[in-house]
Amino acid sequence: MSVRILVYDDYAKMSAAAARHVASRVNARPGVVLGLATGSTPVGMYAELIELHRREGLDFSRVTTFNLDEYCGLDADDPRSYDRFMWEHLFAHVNLERTRTHVPYGAARDPEAECIRYEEMIRAAGGIDLQVLGIGMNGHIGFNEPGSASNSRTRVVRLAEQTVQVNRAKAEAEELPAFALSMGMGTIMDAREIVLLANGDAKADIIRQAIQGPVTPDVPASILQRHPDVTVFLDKPAAKLLELD
Ligand code: GLP
Protein backbone atom coordinates (compact mmCIF):
# COMPACT_ATOMS: atom_id res chain seq x y z
CA MET A 1 0.00 0.00 0.00
CA SER A 2 1.39 3.37 -0.97
CA VAL A 3 -0.42 5.60 1.54
CA ARG A 4 2.01 7.40 3.85
CA ILE A 5 0.51 8.21 7.25
CA LEU A 6 1.87 11.11 9.31
CA VAL A 7 0.48 11.68 12.80
CA TYR A 8 0.97 14.91 14.78
CA ASP A 9 0.26 15.78 18.40
CA ASP A 10 -2.40 18.33 17.60
CA TYR A 11 -4.22 20.25 14.89
CA ALA A 12 -1.74 23.14 14.89
CA LYS A 13 1.23 20.85 14.27
CA MET A 14 -0.66 18.88 11.63
CA SER A 15 -1.60 22.09 9.84
CA ALA A 16 1.95 23.45 9.94
CA ALA A 17 3.38 20.21 8.56
CA ALA A 18 0.81 20.03 5.76
CA ALA A 19 1.53 23.66 4.85
CA ARG A 20 5.28 22.93 4.71
CA HIS A 21 4.52 20.01 2.41
CA VAL A 22 2.46 22.14 0.03
CA ALA A 23 5.04 24.94 0.21
CA SER A 24 7.80 22.53 -0.77
CA ARG A 25 5.87 21.69 -3.93
CA VAL A 26 5.32 25.37 -4.72
CA ASN A 27 9.01 26.12 -4.19
CA ALA A 28 10.08 23.17 -6.33
CA ARG A 29 7.71 24.12 -9.14
CA PRO A 30 6.56 27.76 -9.14
CA GLY A 31 3.90 27.04 -11.78
CA VAL A 32 2.45 24.12 -9.81
CA VAL A 33 -1.26 23.31 -10.22
CA LEU A 34 -2.90 22.83 -6.83
CA GLY A 35 -6.26 21.20 -6.17
CA LEU A 36 -7.82 22.77 -3.07
CA ALA A 37 -10.46 21.77 -0.55
CA THR A 38 -12.86 23.63 1.69
CA GLY A 39 -14.27 22.57 5.07
CA SER A 40 -12.90 23.34 8.52
CA THR A 41 -10.00 20.90 8.29
CA PRO A 42 -7.67 22.79 5.89
CA VAL A 43 -8.28 26.21 7.48
CA GLY A 44 -5.22 25.89 9.72
CA MET A 45 -3.07 24.80 6.79
CA TYR A 46 -4.22 27.80 4.76
CA ALA A 47 -3.39 30.11 7.68
CA GLU A 48 0.11 28.58 7.81
CA LEU A 49 0.56 29.05 4.05
CA ILE A 50 -0.36 32.72 4.49
CA GLU A 51 2.27 32.94 7.23
CA LEU A 52 4.87 31.33 4.99
CA HIS A 53 4.00 33.83 2.27
CA ARG A 54 4.39 36.76 4.68
CA ARG A 55 7.43 35.55 6.61
CA GLU A 56 9.38 33.64 3.98
CA GLY A 57 8.07 35.09 0.75
CA LEU A 58 6.41 31.88 -0.41
CA ASP A 59 5.49 32.90 -3.94
CA PHE A 60 2.10 32.02 -5.41
CA SER A 61 2.37 34.36 -8.40
CA ARG A 62 2.58 31.53 -10.92
CA VAL A 63 0.49 28.96 -9.06
CA THR A 64 -2.83 27.78 -10.51
CA THR A 65 -5.60 26.45 -8.25
CA PHE A 66 -8.73 24.37 -8.82
CA ASN A 67 -11.18 23.84 -6.00
CA LEU A 68 -12.95 20.55 -5.60
CA ASP A 69 -16.53 21.67 -5.44
CA GLU A 70 -19.23 24.31 -5.02
CA TYR A 71 -22.88 24.37 -4.04
CA CYS A 72 -25.34 24.53 -6.92
CA GLY A 73 -27.17 27.81 -7.25
CA LEU A 74 -24.86 29.89 -5.03
CA ASP A 75 -23.18 32.90 -6.55
CA ALA A 76 -19.51 33.44 -5.79
CA ASP A 77 -20.27 36.25 -3.33
CA ASP A 78 -22.85 34.25 -1.37
CA PRO A 79 -21.46 33.95 2.19
CA ARG A 80 -22.13 30.19 2.07
CA SER A 81 -20.25 29.64 -1.19
CA TYR A 82 -16.94 27.84 -1.32
CA ASP A 83 -15.65 30.57 -3.62
CA ARG A 84 -16.15 33.08 -0.82
CA PHE A 85 -14.60 30.66 1.68
CA MET A 86 -11.43 30.43 -0.39
CA TRP A 87 -11.13 34.19 -0.67
CA GLU A 88 -11.56 34.57 3.07
CA HIS A 89 -9.17 31.83 4.08
CA LEU A 90 -6.45 31.99 1.40
CA PHE A 91 -6.83 33.79 -1.91
CA ALA A 92 -7.11 37.35 -0.55
CA HIS A 93 -4.01 36.93 1.62
CA VAL A 94 -1.39 35.61 -0.79
CA ASN A 95 -0.14 36.73 -4.20
CA LEU A 96 -2.23 34.34 -6.29
CA GLU A 97 -3.35 35.72 -9.65
CA ARG A 98 -7.14 35.95 -9.57
CA THR A 99 -7.33 34.54 -13.11
CA ARG A 100 -5.44 31.44 -12.04
CA THR A 101 -7.82 30.56 -9.18
CA HIS A 102 -10.76 28.36 -10.14
CA VAL A 103 -13.86 27.29 -8.26
CA PRO A 104 -16.77 25.65 -10.11
CA TYR A 105 -19.37 28.36 -10.79
CA GLY A 106 -22.33 27.35 -8.67
CA ALA A 107 -24.78 29.79 -10.22
CA ALA A 108 -24.08 28.69 -13.80
CA ARG A 109 -27.26 28.66 -15.85
CA ASP A 110 -26.19 25.38 -17.38
CA PRO A 111 -24.44 23.46 -14.58
CA GLU A 112 -23.69 20.45 -16.81
CA ALA A 113 -21.87 22.70 -19.26
CA GLU A 114 -20.00 24.31 -16.37
CA CYS A 115 -18.78 20.86 -15.27
CA ILE A 116 -17.48 20.11 -18.77
CA ARG A 117 -15.81 23.53 -18.90
CA TYR A 118 -14.18 22.88 -15.52
CA GLU A 119 -12.71 19.55 -16.65
CA GLU A 120 -11.41 21.23 -19.79
CA MET A 121 -9.73 23.97 -17.77
CA ILE A 122 -7.99 21.40 -15.58
CA ARG A 123 -6.79 19.59 -18.68
CA ALA A 124 -5.64 22.83 -20.32
CA ALA A 125 -3.62 23.67 -17.18
CA GLY A 126 -1.77 20.38 -17.57
CA GLY A 127 -3.66 18.48 -14.85
CA ILE A 128 -3.45 18.79 -11.08
CA ASP A 129 0.00 18.27 -9.55
CA LEU A 130 -1.06 18.19 -5.90
CA GLN A 131 -4.62 17.71 -4.69
CA VAL A 132 -5.51 18.62 -1.10
CA LEU A 133 -8.45 16.71 0.39
CA GLY A 134 -10.48 16.66 3.57
CA ILE A 135 -12.87 13.82 4.32
CA GLY A 136 -16.58 13.91 5.10
CA MET A 137 -18.10 11.95 7.98
CA ASN A 138 -19.36 9.37 5.47
CA GLY A 139 -16.01 9.16 3.68
CA HIS A 140 -16.83 11.58 0.91
CA ILE A 141 -14.01 13.38 -0.90
CA GLY A 142 -14.97 16.59 -2.64
CA PHE A 143 -18.70 15.98 -2.78
CA ASN A 144 -18.36 12.42 -4.02
CA GLU A 145 -20.85 10.71 -1.77
CA PRO A 146 -20.94 6.93 -1.11
CA GLY A 147 -21.75 5.07 -4.31
CA SER A 148 -19.86 7.49 -6.57
CA ALA A 149 -18.32 5.74 -9.57
CA SER A 150 -14.54 5.47 -9.48
CA ASN A 151 -14.27 6.92 -13.00
CA SER A 152 -16.66 9.84 -12.41
CA ARG A 153 -15.66 13.31 -13.63
CA THR A 154 -16.78 16.80 -12.57
CA ARG A 155 -20.58 16.67 -12.45
CA VAL A 156 -23.71 17.72 -10.61
CA VAL A 157 -24.21 15.58 -7.52
CA ARG A 158 -26.98 15.21 -4.97
CA LEU A 159 -25.68 15.54 -1.42
CA ALA A 160 -26.43 12.93 1.23
CA GLU A 161 -28.91 14.11 3.85
CA GLN A 162 -26.19 13.74 6.53
CA THR A 163 -23.81 15.94 4.54
CA VAL A 164 -26.37 18.74 4.24
CA GLN A 165 -27.11 18.57 7.98
CA VAL A 166 -23.46 18.47 9.07
CA ASN A 167 -22.43 21.26 6.69
CA ARG A 168 -25.43 23.40 7.59
CA ALA A 169 -24.50 23.25 11.26
CA LYS A 170 -20.86 24.08 10.48
CA ALA A 171 -21.74 26.98 8.20
CA GLU A 172 -24.37 28.20 10.68
CA ALA A 173 -26.60 28.53 7.63
CA GLU A 174 -30.33 27.91 7.78
CA GLU A 175 -30.48 26.59 4.24
CA LEU A 176 -27.90 24.91 2.05
CA PRO A 177 -28.45 23.58 -1.47
CA ALA A 178 -28.89 19.81 -1.71
CA PHE A 179 -26.93 19.75 -4.97
CA ALA A 180 -23.35 20.62 -5.79
CA LEU A 181 -20.84 20.66 -8.62
CA SER A 182 -17.97 18.38 -7.71
CA MET A 183 -14.82 17.07 -9.28
CA GLY A 184 -15.32 13.34 -9.78
CA MET A 185 -13.45 10.42 -8.26
CA GLY A 186 -11.61 10.02 -11.56
CA THR A 187 -10.69 13.71 -11.60
CA ILE A 188 -9.24 13.43 -8.10
CA MET A 189 -7.39 10.19 -8.85
CA ASP A 190 -5.78 11.82 -11.89
CA ALA A 191 -3.88 14.24 -9.63
CA ARG A 192 -0.18 13.34 -9.58
CA GLU A 193 -0.02 13.61 -5.81
CA ILE A 194 -2.68 13.68 -3.11
CA VAL A 195 -2.63 15.00 0.45
CA LEU A 196 -5.51 14.05 2.75
CA LEU A 197 -6.03 15.90 6.03
CA ALA A 198 -8.21 14.89 8.97
CA ASN A 199 -8.35 15.91 12.59
CA GLY A 200 -10.41 15.16 15.66
CA ASP A 201 -12.04 12.13 17.31
CA ALA A 202 -15.08 12.29 15.10
CA LYS A 203 -13.02 11.40 12.03
CA ALA A 204 -11.17 8.43 13.61
CA ASP A 205 -13.59 5.74 12.47
CA ILE A 206 -13.97 6.96 8.88
CA ILE A 207 -10.19 7.42 8.62
CA ARG A 208 -9.67 3.82 9.70
CA GLN A 209 -12.21 2.62 7.14
CA ALA A 210 -10.74 4.79 4.37
CA ILE A 211 -7.10 3.91 4.93
CA GLN A 212 -7.12 0.43 6.40
CA GLY A 213 -10.51 -0.93 5.35
CA PRO A 214 -11.52 -2.52 2.05
CA VAL A 215 -11.58 -0.35 -1.08
CA THR A 216 -15.30 0.14 -1.67
CA PRO A 217 -17.63 2.75 -3.20
CA ASP A 218 -19.38 2.76 0.20
CA VAL A 219 -16.35 4.67 1.54
CA PRO A 220 -15.33 6.94 -1.34
CA ALA A 221 -11.97 7.93 0.23
CA SER A 222 -10.90 4.27 0.31
CA ILE A 223 -10.14 4.53 -3.42
CA LEU A 224 -7.10 6.61 -2.44
CA GLN A 225 -5.41 3.33 -1.44
CA ARG A 226 -5.11 2.70 -5.19
CA HIS A 227 -3.31 6.01 -5.86
CA PRO A 228 0.49 5.81 -6.15
CA ASP A 229 1.29 8.95 -4.14
CA VAL A 230 -0.89 9.78 -1.14
CA THR A 231 0.20 11.35 2.15
CA VAL A 232 -2.28 11.49 5.03
CA PHE A 233 -1.79 14.18 7.68
CA LEU A 234 -3.61 13.41 10.93
CA ASP A 235 -3.74 14.65 14.48
CA LYS A 236 -3.61 12.01 17.23
CA PRO A 237 -7.37 11.84 17.84
CA ALA A 238 -8.09 11.18 14.15
CA ALA A 239 -5.41 8.48 14.07
CA LYS A 240 -6.44 6.67 17.24
CA LEU A 241 -8.11 3.68 15.53
CA LEU A 242 -5.33 3.04 12.99
CA GLU A 243 -2.89 0.20 13.25
CA LEU A 244 0.48 1.91 12.98
CA ASP A 245 3.90 0.32 13.16
C1 GLP B 1 -17.41 19.29 2.70
C2 GLP B 1 -16.48 19.39 1.50
C3 GLP B 1 -15.37 18.36 1.57
C4 GLP B 1 -14.76 18.36 2.97
C5 GLP B 1 -15.80 17.99 3.97
C6 GLP B 1 -15.27 17.84 5.38
O1 GLP B 1 -18.46 18.40 2.54
N1 GLP B 1 -17.18 19.24 0.26
O2 GLP B 1 -14.40 18.67 0.58
O3 GLP B 1 -13.67 17.48 3.02
O4 GLP B 1 -16.78 19.00 3.95
O5 GLP B 1 -15.37 19.04 6.07
P1 GLP B 1 -14.63 19.36 7.43
O6 GLP B 1 -13.21 19.57 7.08
O7 GLP B 1 -15.26 20.62 7.92
O8 GLP B 1 -14.85 18.21 8.33
Side-chain angles (χ1 to χ4, degrees), residues 11 36-43 68-71 82 85 132-138 140-145 159 163-164 166-167 170 180-182 196-199 203:
Y11 177 71
L36 299 178
T38 51
S40 53
T41 310
V43 167
L68 284 165
D69 46 16
E70 178 61 284
Y71 289 106
Y82 283 165
F85 177 99
V132 175
L133 297 174
I135 184 169
M137 292 299 292
N138 59 5
H140 71 221
I141 46 178
F143 268 137
N144 293 284
E145 299 284 24
L159 305 182
T163 300
V164 179
V166 169
N167 287 6
K170 273 193 286 198
L181 280 59
S182 178
L196 173 73
L197 277 68
N199 68 289
K203 293 279 172 75

XYZ file of all heavy atoms in Angstrom, residues 11 36-43 68-71 82 85 132-138 140-145 159 163-164 166-167 170 180-182 196-199 203, ligand 1:
339
model
N -3.780 19.636 16.155
C -4.217 20.246 14.891
C -3.226 21.285 14.378
O -2.940 21.355 13.183
C -5.601 20.884 15.102
C -6.129 21.618 13.891
C -6.556 20.910 12.764
C -6.208 23.012 13.878
C -7.044 21.579 11.647
C -6.700 23.690 12.769
C -7.109 22.965 11.655
O -7.589 23.635 10.553
N -7.579 22.312 -4.441
C -7.816 22.767 -3.067
C -9.178 22.319 -2.551
O -10.112 22.094 -3.315
C -7.704 24.291 -3.002
C -6.336 24.861 -3.390
C -6.361 26.386 -3.338
C -5.227 24.304 -2.490
N -9.241 22.232 -1.225
C -10.463 21.766 -0.553
C -10.984 22.840 0.396
O -10.223 23.679 0.882
C -10.147 20.502 0.246
N -12.266 22.768 0.670
C -12.865 23.635 1.692
C -13.154 22.780 2.934
O -12.616 21.699 3.081
C -14.144 24.293 1.157
O -14.967 23.255 0.614
C -13.817 25.307 0.079
N -13.997 23.281 3.811
C -14.269 22.573 5.071
C -13.375 23.146 6.155
O -12.419 23.888 5.884
N -13.667 22.780 7.406
C -12.904 23.345 8.522
C -11.490 22.780 8.588
O -10.565 23.454 9.050
C -13.640 23.070 9.840
O -13.916 21.685 9.941
N -11.295 21.562 8.113
C -9.996 20.896 8.291
C -8.812 21.677 7.709
O -7.819 21.864 8.404
C -10.044 19.472 7.697
O -11.199 18.812 8.206
C -8.797 18.686 8.047
N -8.866 22.133 6.448
C -7.671 22.786 5.892
C -7.491 24.247 6.299
O -6.507 24.867 5.878
C -7.872 22.665 4.373
C -9.335 22.550 4.169
C -9.923 21.978 5.420
N -8.373 24.786 7.123
C -8.281 26.210 7.480
C -6.937 26.530 8.141
O -6.281 27.528 7.821
C -9.470 26.619 8.386
C -9.232 27.974 9.032
C -10.762 26.652 7.572
N -12.234 21.804 -5.377
C -12.948 20.546 -5.602
C -14.406 20.723 -5.984
O -14.927 19.972 -6.799
C -12.937 19.716 -4.308
C -11.661 18.992 -3.921
C -11.749 18.557 -2.462
C -11.473 17.777 -4.818
N -15.071 21.704 -5.336
C -16.530 21.674 -5.444
C -17.162 23.008 -5.078
O -16.494 23.912 -4.552
C -17.099 20.549 -4.552
C -16.476 20.526 -3.155
O -15.837 21.523 -2.761
O -16.628 19.510 -2.464
N -18.448 23.110 -5.353
C -19.231 24.307 -5.022
C -20.700 23.912 -4.951
O -21.140 22.984 -5.644
C -19.025 25.379 -6.114
C -19.804 26.664 -5.928
C -19.454 27.408 -4.635
O -19.908 26.968 -3.559
O -18.738 28.426 -4.719
N -21.438 24.620 -4.115
C -22.878 24.368 -4.038
C -23.583 24.878 -5.286
O -23.272 25.980 -5.777
C -23.478 25.073 -2.817
C -23.081 24.437 -1.510
C -22.159 25.054 -0.679
C -23.627 23.221 -1.124
C -21.783 24.477 0.518
C -23.250 22.638 0.083
C -22.338 23.265 0.893
O -21.962 22.683 2.071
N -18.314 28.261 -1.510
C -16.938 27.844 -1.316
C -15.973 28.824 -1.971
O -14.810 28.944 -1.558
C -16.736 26.427 -1.863
C -17.293 25.351 -0.960
C -17.469 24.058 -1.429
C -17.618 25.604 0.369
C -17.953 23.050 -0.604
C -18.103 24.611 1.202
C -18.265 23.332 0.710
O -18.737 22.338 1.534
N -15.437 31.309 0.661
C -14.602 30.657 1.681
C -13.128 30.739 1.297
O -12.265 31.088 2.116
C -15.046 29.183 1.806
C -14.232 28.367 2.773
C -14.682 28.119 4.063
C -13.007 27.832 2.383
C -13.924 27.351 4.945
C -12.244 27.072 3.263
C -12.702 26.834 4.544
N -5.261 18.633 -2.546
C -5.513 18.617 -1.096
C -6.946 18.149 -0.865
O -7.876 18.641 -1.512
C -5.325 20.030 -0.501
C -5.708 20.039 0.983
C -3.902 20.526 -0.702
N -7.120 17.226 0.083
C -8.453 16.708 0.395
C -8.723 16.744 1.889
O -7.814 16.502 2.694
C -8.586 15.242 -0.034
C -8.476 14.875 -1.506
C -8.501 13.346 -1.642
C -9.616 15.499 -2.305
N -9.987 16.994 2.237
C -10.480 16.660 3.565
C -11.296 15.388 3.397
O -11.295 14.768 2.330
N -12.014 15.008 4.430
C -12.873 13.824 4.320
C -14.171 14.088 5.074
O -14.159 14.642 6.177
C -12.146 12.557 4.852
C -13.001 11.295 4.650
C -11.728 12.712 6.308
C -12.237 9.992 4.904
N -15.288 13.746 4.440
C -16.584 13.906 5.101
C -16.815 12.779 6.095
O -16.124 11.755 6.084
N -17.800 12.961 6.951
C -18.095 11.949 7.976
C -18.482 10.607 7.364
O -18.337 9.561 7.993
C -19.240 12.450 8.877
C -18.854 13.630 9.752
S -17.519 13.225 10.876
C -18.365 12.072 11.950
N -19.001 10.620 6.142
C -19.362 9.366 5.473
C -18.289 8.930 4.477
O -18.530 8.077 3.632
C -20.716 9.514 4.767
C -20.705 10.621 3.724
O -19.668 11.225 3.466
N -21.841 10.872 3.107
N -16.853 10.903 2.208
C -16.828 11.581 0.912
C -15.554 12.404 0.725
O -14.961 12.885 1.685
C -18.096 12.408 0.636
C -18.272 13.660 1.430
N -19.487 14.041 1.955
C -17.411 14.651 1.777
C -19.359 15.194 2.566
N -18.104 15.588 2.480
N -15.128 12.499 -0.535
C -14.013 13.383 -0.899
C -14.552 14.311 -1.978
O -15.256 13.874 -2.885
C -12.757 12.602 -1.376
C -13.100 11.490 -2.364
C -12.008 12.044 -0.178
C -11.880 10.730 -2.906
N -14.212 15.610 -1.865
C -14.968 16.588 -2.636
C -16.409 16.423 -2.184
O -16.690 16.355 -0.985
N -17.325 16.345 -3.135
C -18.703 15.985 -2.778
C -19.071 14.653 -3.415
O -20.199 14.444 -3.833
C -19.672 17.091 -3.183
C -19.933 18.103 -2.101
C -19.980 19.458 -2.403
C -20.170 17.725 -0.784
C -20.239 20.405 -1.416
C -20.429 18.664 0.205
C -20.462 20.009 -0.112
N -18.092 13.762 -3.508
C -18.364 12.425 -4.018
C -18.884 11.570 -2.875
O -18.114 11.061 -2.050
C -17.095 11.807 -4.618
C -16.663 12.542 -5.869
O -17.253 12.369 -6.925
N -15.660 13.398 -5.735
N -20.201 11.431 -2.853
C -20.853 10.706 -1.766
C -20.717 9.190 -1.986
O -20.353 8.754 -3.085
C -22.338 11.097 -1.721
C -22.587 12.588 -1.471
C -22.365 13.018 -0.023
O -21.605 12.353 0.711
O -22.939 14.049 0.381
N -26.376 15.766 -2.688
C -25.678 15.537 -1.416
C -26.479 14.592 -0.521
O -27.720 14.614 -0.534
C -25.458 16.871 -0.691
C -24.719 17.922 -1.510
C -24.512 19.189 -0.689
C -23.383 17.386 -1.985
N -24.762 14.901 4.952
C -23.814 15.938 4.543
C -24.452 17.324 4.659
O -23.846 18.264 5.184
C -23.367 15.694 3.087
O -22.751 14.408 3.016
C -22.392 16.755 2.618
N -25.696 17.436 4.177
C -26.369 18.739 4.239
C -26.518 19.169 5.696
O -26.244 20.318 6.052
C -27.752 18.695 3.534
C -28.448 20.050 3.619
C -27.595 18.280 2.074
N -24.754 18.180 8.437
C -23.456 18.473 9.067
C -22.937 19.819 8.573
O -22.502 20.667 9.353
C -22.434 17.348 8.756
C -21.022 17.751 9.160
C -22.826 16.056 9.455
N -22.990 20.033 7.248
C -22.428 21.262 6.690
C -23.268 22.486 7.049
O -22.735 23.581 7.210
C -22.273 21.139 5.173
C -21.127 20.205 4.799
O -20.533 19.570 5.663
N -20.811 20.124 3.531
N -22.192 23.463 10.478
C -20.860 24.076 10.482
C -20.885 25.480 9.911
O -20.189 26.372 10.376
C -19.877 23.213 9.690
C -19.244 22.138 10.565
C -18.074 21.489 9.895
C -18.553 20.560 8.804
N -17.560 19.586 8.391
N -24.641 19.936 -5.655
C -23.350 20.623 -5.791
C -22.710 20.231 -7.112
O -23.108 19.247 -7.751
C -22.436 20.234 -4.631
N -21.720 21.027 -7.506
C -20.843 20.663 -8.624
C -19.569 20.142 -7.973
O -18.998 20.825 -7.122
C -20.489 21.901 -9.460
C -21.499 22.418 -10.493
C -22.814 22.786 -9.826
C -20.938 23.624 -11.223
N -19.157 18.948 -8.355
C -17.966 18.381 -7.710
C -17.060 17.695 -8.722
O -17.531 16.982 -9.601
C -18.383 17.353 -6.641
O -17.240 16.762 -6.051
N -4.223 14.119 2.049
C -5.508 14.054 2.750
C -5.295 14.504 4.189
O -4.362 14.038 4.854
C -6.043 12.621 2.716
C -7.308 12.338 3.542
C -8.538 12.944 2.888
C -7.520 10.835 3.711
N -6.150 15.391 4.665
C -6.033 15.898 6.031
C -7.273 15.502 6.826
O -8.398 15.591 6.304
C -5.997 17.428 6.034
C -4.703 18.182 5.790
C -4.237 18.004 4.371
C -4.904 19.653 6.074
N -7.065 15.115 8.086
C -8.211 14.892 8.972
C -7.780 15.113 10.410
O -6.658 14.778 10.784
C -8.768 13.478 8.810
N -8.662 15.693 11.176
C -8.355 15.912 12.592
C -9.590 15.637 13.439
O -10.725 15.722 12.952
C -7.859 17.339 12.820
C -8.946 18.357 12.606
O -9.359 18.596 11.468
N -9.439 18.950 13.674
N -13.453 11.931 13.323
C -13.016 11.399 12.026
C -12.274 10.058 12.167
O -11.908 9.449 11.166
C -12.105 12.418 11.326
C -12.803 13.718 10.904
C -13.547 13.568 9.610
C -14.416 14.769 9.253
N -13.671 15.911 8.790
C -17.415 19.294 2.704
C -16.483 19.386 1.503
C -15.370 18.362 1.571
C -14.755 18.362 2.966
C -15.802 17.987 3.971
C -15.265 17.844 5.379
O -18.456 18.404 2.539
N -17.176 19.240 0.255
O -14.399 18.666 0.578
O -13.672 17.477 3.019
O -16.782 19.003 3.946
O -15.375 19.042 6.071
P -14.630 19.364 7.425
O -13.210 19.571 7.076
O -15.264 20.624 7.916
O -14.848 18.213 8.330
